[in-house]
Amino acid sequence: MKYALFAVLGALSLSACAEAPKPAAEAKAPAGQAAAAQPAAAKAAAGTPDARAIEAIRVLNSRVTVERVGAAPLPGFREAIVAGQVVYVSDDGRYLFLPGPGGALFDTTAKKNLSEVALAGMRKEALKVIPASERIVFAPANPKYTVQVFTDVECGYCRKLHSEIAEYNRQGIAIEYLAFPRAGIGSQDFNKMVSVWCAPDRRKALTDAKSDHTVPNKNCKNSITMQYDVGQRVGLTGTPMILAADGTQLGGYVPPAALREALDKLATDGSAKPAATGPVDAVPATTAGGA
């Protein structure tokens, strides 16, 4: 996804991308403070693997500074330092690998996140185990798009998203809610979501729960544990998590108009705006790997 590439590489240098660079004459440090030292950009002879590595990084984000480039411990790749992070680029400049948690492999020629393509397919298959009857749906009469949203009744951004549910529907977007109690299985949060899913009117119960209105305690045969497990399988680290029909992750909280724009983009050319831009409420470390 083209926009995701820019977002990921842009995240390597958030301070540099926060605003456009100012001319030297304007970039003055506050009185009594020295100007911050800027990293020296790496240089390489044209046509060399080092030069191709630098160019590949700049293709994805022209604003970052490649501080160093050289031999990599991985055969066929060059190792570059960008804003204190290590990036590996194939000698021909086509493939770029970001290691570590949340890392990914990019095709710089196609401007495609190959890791996201693989994950999207996995997510689409994983979601199939959750029956349509177990999803809480808010939809317009004739939706243009349908997205799945892992939600939690306590998380702030989940509540913000739900407060705008009518506008998502006006944008032609149907929301299918899936349960992910961030506090873990057996928690008070979990029990609240069981009560919602066991309510005779799930839509009203979910709205009440996200508005701090009382939802009667109920228990029944439910799929909350299964939905929670699926959320972990698809890599959820925070709620909300918005997934397109093909499994592409579109973000955490994304405003209605921006989500429609991303879905239009995905439908026309297979790209979408960056997943990384949407704020989420993080899953506590004690439950992220299992209850």
Side-chain angles (χ1 to χ4, degrees), residues 246-269:
D246 69 348
T248 298
Q249 185 177 355
L250 295 172
Y253 165 74
V254 180
L259 184 58
R260 175 57 192 259
E261 182 182 352
L263 288 165
D264 286 342
K265 191 79 174 161
L266 186 64
T268 56
D269 62 13

Side-chain angles (χ1 to χ4, degrees), residues 120-263:
M122 178 275 291
R123 294 185 195 114
K124 183 178 180 180
E125 289 301 312
L127 291 177
K128 288 181 179 179
V129 305
I130 304 176
S133 62
E134 287 301 304
R135 306 175 186 211
I136 300 180
V137 181
F138 289 79
N142 296 293
K144 174 72 173 178
Y145 301 109
T146 298
V147 297
Q148 290 78 45
V149 179
F150 278 98
T151 194
D152 173 58
V153 296
E154 297 292 344
C155 96
Y157 284 113
C158 298
R159 292 184 172 197
K160 180 172 177 57
L161 187 154
H162 191 65
S163 72
E164 299 172 358
I165 197 72
E167 182 58 29
Y168 286 103
N169 288 171
R170 278 192 289 270
Q171 291 285 342
I173 303 170
I175 304 286
E176 293 186 352
Y177 279 122
L178 308 174
F180 193 90
R182 294 179 305 123
I185 297 172
S187 65
Q188 183 177 358
D189 187 19
F190 175 89
N191 292 333
K192 283 184 180 180
M193 298 198 78
V194 168
S195 295
V196 167
W197 256 256
C198 291
D201 186 342
R202 291 176 177 174
R203 286 159 47 98
K204 181 179 184 302
L206 183 64
T207 299
D208 286 345
K210 290 187 176 186
S211 304
D212 285 330
H213 296 158
T214 300
V215 176
N217 290 327
K218 289 185 177 293
N219 202 347
C220 64
K221 183 178 180 181
N222 64 83
S223 63
I224 305 300
T225 297
M226 182 259 286
Q227 294 185 51
Y228 178 86
D229 289 342
V230 171
Q232 290 188 313
R233 284 180 56 202
V234 300
L236 186 151
T237 58
T239 52
M241 180 189 198
I242 303 175
L243 300 174
D246 69 348
T248 298
Q249 185 177 355
L250 295 172
Y253 165 74
V254 180
L259 184 58
R260 175 57 192 259
E261 182 182 352
L263 288 165

Side-chain angles (χ1 to χ4, degrees), residues 45-185:
T48 64
D50 285 358
R52 287 191 288 270
I54 294 170
E55 178 60 24
I57 294 168
R58 289 177 177 165
V59 163
L60 300 183
N61 189 329
S62 61
R63 294 177 293 178
V64 296
T65 298
V66 181
E67 300 171 28
R68 194 184 74 194
V69 63
L74 185 64
F77 280 77
R78 308 307 286 171
E79 180 180 87
I81 305 297
V82 183
Q85 304 247 354
V86 177
V87 176
Y88 296 102
V89 183
S90 60
D91 287 345
D92 62 4
R94 177 161 184 174
Y95 298 102
L96 183 150
F97 175 61
L98 291 170
L105 178 66
F106 300 102
D107 182 330
T108 66
T109 300
K111 292 186 173 66
K112 181 175 292 187
N113 183 337
L114 300 178
S115 298
E116 176 60 25
V117 171
L119 286 171
M122 178 275 291
R123 294 185 195 114
K124 183 178 180 180
E125 289 301 312
L127 291 177
K128 288 181 179 179
V129 305
I130 304 176
S133 62
E134 287 301 304
R135 306 175 186 211
I136 300 180
V137 181
F138 289 79
N142 296 293
K144 174 72 173 178
Y145 301 109
T146 298
V147 297
Q148 290 78 45
V149 179
F150 278 98
T151 194
D152 173 58
V153 296
E154 297 292 344
C155 96
Y157 284 113
C158 298
R159 292 184 172 197
K160 180 172 177 57
L161 187 154
H162 191 65
S163 72
E164 299 172 358
I165 197 72
E167 182 58 29
Y168 286 103
N169 288 171
R170 278 192 289 270
Q171 291 285 342
I173 303 170
I175 304 286
E176 293 186 352
Y177 279 122
L178 308 174
F180 193 90
R182 294 179 305 123
I185 297 172

